[in-house]
mmCIF file of all heavy atoms in Angstrom:
data_model
loop_
_atom_site.group_PDB
_atom_site.id
_atom_site.type_symbol
_atom_site.label_atom_id
_atom_site.label_comp_id
_atom_site.label_asym_id
_atom_site.label_seq_id
_atom_site.Cartn_x
_atom_site.Cartn_y
_atom_site.Cartn_z
ATOM 1 N N GLY A 137 109.801 148.741 42.754
ATOM 2 C CA GLY A 137 109.268 148.130 44.011
ATOM 3 C C GLY A 137 109.864 149.067 45.215
ATOM 4 O O GLY A 137 110.065 150.247 44.995
ATOM 5 N N PHE A 138 110.212 148.428 46.287
ATOM 6 C CA PHE A 138 110.909 149.198 47.304
ATOM 7 C C PHE A 138 111.951 148.253 47.928
ATOM 8 O O PHE A 138 111.928 147.056 47.982
ATOM 9 C CB PHE A 138 109.946 149.878 48.279
ATOM 10 C CG PHE A 138 109.152 148.940 49.123
ATOM 11 C CD1 PHE A 138 109.604 148.371 50.338
ATOM 12 C CD2 PHE A 138 107.899 148.585 48.738
ATOM 13 C CE1 PHE A 138 108.829 147.622 51.040
ATOM 14 C CE2 PHE A 138 107.083 147.720 49.473
ATOM 15 C CZ PHE A 138 107.469 147.178 50.709
ATOM 16 N N THR A 139 113.003 148.957 48.475
ATOM 17 C CA THR A 139 114.118 148.256 49.142
ATOM 18 C C THR A 139 114.168 148.645 50.658
ATOM 19 O O THR A 139 113.751 149.879 50.867
ATOM 20 C CB THR A 139 115.467 148.710 48.518
ATOM 21 O OG1 THR A 139 115.333 148.648 47.095
ATOM 22 C CG2 THR A 139 116.639 147.869 49.018
ATOM 23 N N TYR A 140 114.393 147.699 51.472
ATOM 24 C CA TYR A 140 114.568 148.126 52.948
ATOM 25 C C TYR A 140 115.771 147.517 53.622
ATOM 26 O O TYR A 140 116.402 146.496 53.029
ATOM 27 C CB TYR A 140 113.399 147.832 53.655
ATOM 28 C CG TYR A 140 112.973 146.249 53.935
ATOM 29 C CD1 TYR A 140 113.521 145.521 54.968
ATOM 30 C CD2 TYR A 140 112.227 145.639 53.002
ATOM 31 C CE1 TYR A 140 113.194 144.237 55.205
ATOM 32 C CE2 TYR A 140 111.919 144.355 53.250
ATOM 33 C CZ TYR A 140 112.445 143.586 54.237
ATOM 34 O OH TYR A 140 112.119 142.291 54.423
ATOM 35 N N ASP A 141 116.172 148.193 54.645
ATOM 36 C CA ASP A 141 117.412 147.696 55.330
ATOM 37 C C ASP A 141 116.941 147.003 56.702
ATOM 38 O O ASP A 141 116.399 147.628 57.464
ATOM 39 C CB ASP A 141 118.225 148.883 55.736
ATOM 40 C CG ASP A 141 119.374 148.458 56.579
ATOM 41 O OD1 ASP A 141 119.563 147.310 56.965
ATOM 42 O OD2 ASP A 141 120.233 149.406 56.801
ATOM 43 N N PRO A 142 116.991 145.697 56.619
ATOM 44 C CA PRO A 142 116.311 144.820 57.834
ATOM 45 C C PRO A 142 116.833 145.509 59.152
ATOM 46 O O PRO A 142 115.922 145.372 60.043
ATOM 47 C CB PRO A 142 116.883 143.480 57.532
ATOM 48 C CG PRO A 142 117.295 143.375 56.197
ATOM 49 C CD PRO A 142 117.689 144.698 55.769
ATOM 50 N N ALA A 143 117.997 145.969 59.288
ATOM 51 C CA ALA A 143 118.477 146.383 60.590
ATOM 52 C C ALA A 143 117.717 147.533 61.117
ATOM 53 O O ALA A 143 117.631 147.865 62.220
ATOM 54 C CB ALA A 143 119.910 146.729 60.462
ATOM 55 N N MET A 144 117.107 148.356 60.168
ATOM 56 C CA MET A 144 116.308 149.606 60.650
ATOM 57 C C MET A 144 114.807 149.466 60.588
ATOM 58 O O MET A 144 114.148 150.290 60.947
ATOM 59 C CB MET A 144 116.759 150.759 59.684
ATOM 60 C CG MET A 144 118.182 151.129 59.671
ATOM 61 S SD MET A 144 118.526 152.327 58.477
ATOM 62 C CE MET A 144 117.894 153.778 59.121
ATOM 63 N N VAL A 145 114.407 148.155 60.371
ATOM 64 C CA VAL A 145 113.009 147.977 60.397
ATOM 65 C C VAL A 145 112.526 147.092 61.526
ATOM 66 O O VAL A 145 113.203 146.202 61.945
ATOM 67 C CB VAL A 145 112.728 147.104 59.071
ATOM 68 C CG1 VAL A 145 111.310 146.572 58.988
ATOM 69 C CG2 VAL A 145 112.940 148.024 57.827
ATOM 70 N N PRO A 146 111.365 147.513 62.210
ATOM 71 C CA PRO A 146 110.953 146.723 63.381
ATOM 72 C C PRO A 146 110.719 145.296 62.971
ATOM 73 O O PRO A 146 110.068 144.989 62.038
ATOM 74 C CB PRO A 146 109.667 147.426 63.671
ATOM 75 C CG PRO A 146 109.231 148.350 62.599
ATOM 76 C CD PRO A 146 110.454 148.571 61.794
ATOM 77 N N GLY A 147 111.203 144.359 63.732
ATOM 78 C CA GLY A 147 111.085 142.913 63.422
ATOM 79 C C GLY A 147 111.942 142.412 62.370
ATOM 80 O O GLY A 147 111.924 141.242 62.092
ATOM 81 N N GLY A 148 112.782 143.323 61.782
ATOM 82 C CA GLY A 148 113.682 142.715 60.764
ATOM 83 C C GLY A 148 113.178 142.451 59.448
ATOM 84 O O GLY A 148 113.997 142.091 58.493
ATOM 85 N N SER A 149 111.797 142.630 59.232
ATOM 86 C CA SER A 149 111.352 142.395 57.864
ATOM 87 C C SER A 149 110.126 143.247 57.660
ATOM 88 O O SER A 149 109.463 143.610 58.634
ATOM 89 C CB SER A 149 111.057 140.894 57.713
ATOM 90 O OG SER A 149 109.819 140.527 58.202
ATOM 91 N N MET A 150 109.689 143.379 56.394
ATOM 92 C CA MET A 150 108.600 144.097 56.005
ATOM 93 C C MET A 150 107.627 143.310 55.190
ATOM 94 O O MET A 150 108.068 142.447 54.497
ATOM 95 C CB MET A 150 108.854 145.351 55.238
ATOM 96 C CG MET A 150 109.512 146.376 56.170
ATOM 97 S SD MET A 150 110.050 147.961 55.161
ATOM 98 C CE MET A 150 108.555 148.772 54.939
ATOM 99 N N ALA A 151 106.310 143.541 55.232
ATOM 100 C CA ALA A 151 105.334 142.840 54.535
ATOM 101 C C ALA A 151 105.562 143.120 53.079
ATOM 102 O O ALA A 151 106.027 144.287 52.733
ATOM 103 C CB ALA A 151 103.921 143.261 54.890
#
Side-chain angles (χ1 to χ4, degrees):
Chain A
F138 61 88
T139 311
Y140 68 87
D141 178 354
M144 294 175 75
V145 167
S149 80
M150 287 175 80

